[in-house]
Amino acid sequence: MKIALIGYGKMGHEVERVCLRRGHQVVCIVDVENVADMDGDVFRSADVAIEFSAPCASHGLVRHAMEKGVKVVSGTTGWFAQHEAEMRALCEQGGTLFWSSNYSVGVQMFRACNRFLARLMNDFPGYRVSMEETHHVHKLDAPSGTALTLRDDILDELARVADIDIESRREGEVPGIHTVRYESEADALILTHTAKNRSGFALGAVLAAEYAAGHQGLLTMADLLPWLAGK
C-alpha cells in the first residue's frame, strides 16, 4: 500500500517505522516546509494519508488531502468536534476520513472496560466518579482527546452523572496516562491505561489506514474493532 505522511514529528517518524515494517511504501512526507507537495502527483498517488500534525493546522490539511481525492487517517486531537459537520459532508460526497482520538488498541480495550463499569455503576449511587490524565509537556490540548472520549463514554452509560471534571497534567515526556476512579465510603475502583511509548498509537494508525484503503466514508475505531460497538 502507498502511504503519505502528513506531519513528521515524533509520531510521524514512528508511523513511518511501522509502515515500513508492515511492508508499505511511504511515497510522500509532508511537513511545515513543503505543504505544497500535497498538490503534486506523488501525494495524490497515495492510497491513504496518515496525519499527525497540530490542532491549529490539522483541519486545513485533512480537508486539503480529501479534496485531492486521498483517503485520510487523522490522529491529531483538538480540532474534529468543531469541524465534524464539514467532514461528514465531505465523506458524503465520496471522501474518506478515519478519525479517532486515540489509535492504541489497548486504549480501545480500556474504553470497553470503562463503558462496562459505568453501566454497572447505575445501580450503585454511592460511588463518585472522577478522571485524570497526564501527558508530555508538548501536548497542546487539555484535557486530551482520549480523556474527553472516555468521559463521553461514561456519560452515555451512567445516567446519574451530568458531567465529569478532568484533571490534566503535563509532565516531561510522558506518552499518556488515563485514569478513571470510582470511590465510595467503603472502597475505590480504579481503571488506568499507561502508554509506555508511541508504538501502540502508530500501529493502530497504520491498521486504520489498512482498513480505510478498502472502505469509504467517515470511519472510526468501532469500524476497525467491531466489539467496541458491541458487535
Side-chain angles (χ1 to χ4, degrees), residues 31-110:
D31 209 13
V32 176
E33 70 280 356
N34 67 324
V35 174
D37 287 0
M38 295 177 67
D39 296 323
D41 292 338
V42 175
F43 179 82
R44 289 196 295 268
S45 74
D47 298 298
V48 182
I50 301 178
E51 181 269 333
F52 282 93
S53 60
C56 61
S58 187
H59 164 241
L61 293 169
V62 169
R63 181 183 60 197
H64 194 57
M66 293 175 71
E67 289 172 345
K68 294 299 178 182
V70 178
K71 297 181 176 185
V72 180
V73 170
S74 175
T76 305
T77 57
W79 71 275
F80 181 78
Q82 59 267 44
H83 298 289
E84 181 176 355
E86 179 187 2
M87 294 298 106
R88 287 188 179 277
L90 287 172
C91 289
E92 289 170 0
Q93 296 165 17
T96 296
L97 171 63
F98 194 121
W99 188 87
S100 176
S101 61
N102 194 306
Y103 284 91
S104 164
V105 174
V107 164
Q108 304 310 317
M109 294 177 182
F110 182 67

Side-chain angles (χ1 to χ4, degrees), residues 23-220:
H24 302 306
Q25 180 184 3
V26 176
V27 296
C28 184
I29 297 175
V30 175
D31 209 13
V32 176
E33 70 280 356
N34 67 324
V35 174
D37 287 0
M38 295 177 67
D39 296 323
D41 292 338
V42 175
F43 179 82
R44 289 196 295 268
S45 74
D47 298 298
V48 182
I50 301 178
E51 181 269 333
F52 282 93
S53 60
C56 61
S58 187
H59 164 241
L61 293 169
V62 169
R63 181 183 60 197
H64 194 57
M66 293 175 71
E67 289 172 345
K68 294 299 178 182
V70 178
K71 297 181 176 185
V72 180
V73 170
S74 175
T76 305
T77 57
W79 71 275
F80 181 78
Q82 59 267 44
H83 298 289
E84 181 176 355
E86 179 187 2
M87 294 298 106
R88 287 188 179 277
L90 287 172
C91 289
E92 289 170 0
Q93 296 165 17
T96 296
L97 171 63
F98 194 121
W99 188 87
S100 176
S101 61
N102 194 306
Y103 284 91
S104 164
V105 174
V107 164
Q108 304 310 317
M109 294 177 182
F110 182 67
R111 282 187 63 195
C113 294
N114 179 51
R115 292 189 75 104
F116 179 71
L117 184 55
R119 199 175 307 132
L120 292 179
M121 285 295 171
N122 279 299
D123 295 327
F124 299 94
Y127 286 89
R128 301 176 304 278
V129 60
S130 62
M131 296 179 61
E132 60 185 57
E133 57 95 358
T134 304
H135 281 84
H136 51 81
V137 295
H138 314 290
K139 187 166 181 61
L140 300 178
D141 54 325
S144 70
T146 301
L148 295 174
T149 298
L150 292 167
R151 182 199 64 187
D152 292 345
D153 286 345
I154 295 171
L155 296 177
D156 285 345
E157 301 289 348
L158 188 55
R160 61 182 166 85
V161 175
D163 200 4
I164 305 169
D165 290 332
I166 302 171
E167 182 178 352
S168 296
R169 301 189 184 99
R170 296 293 174 262
E171 301 175 0
E173 296 296 331
V174 178
I177 304 171
H178 293 88
T179 297
V180 177
R181 176 190 295 266
Y182 290 90
E183 192 154 2
S184 73
E185 296 299 323
D187 56 14
L189 286 80
I190 303 170
L191 292 178
T192 297
H193 178 273
T194 301
K196 295 181 178 180
N197 50 55
R198 293 177 172 82
S199 62
F201 309 122
L203 174 59
V206 177
L207 292 175
E210 292 170 355
Y211 183 88
H215 296 81
Q216 188 273 323
L218 182 59
L219 308 171
T220 70

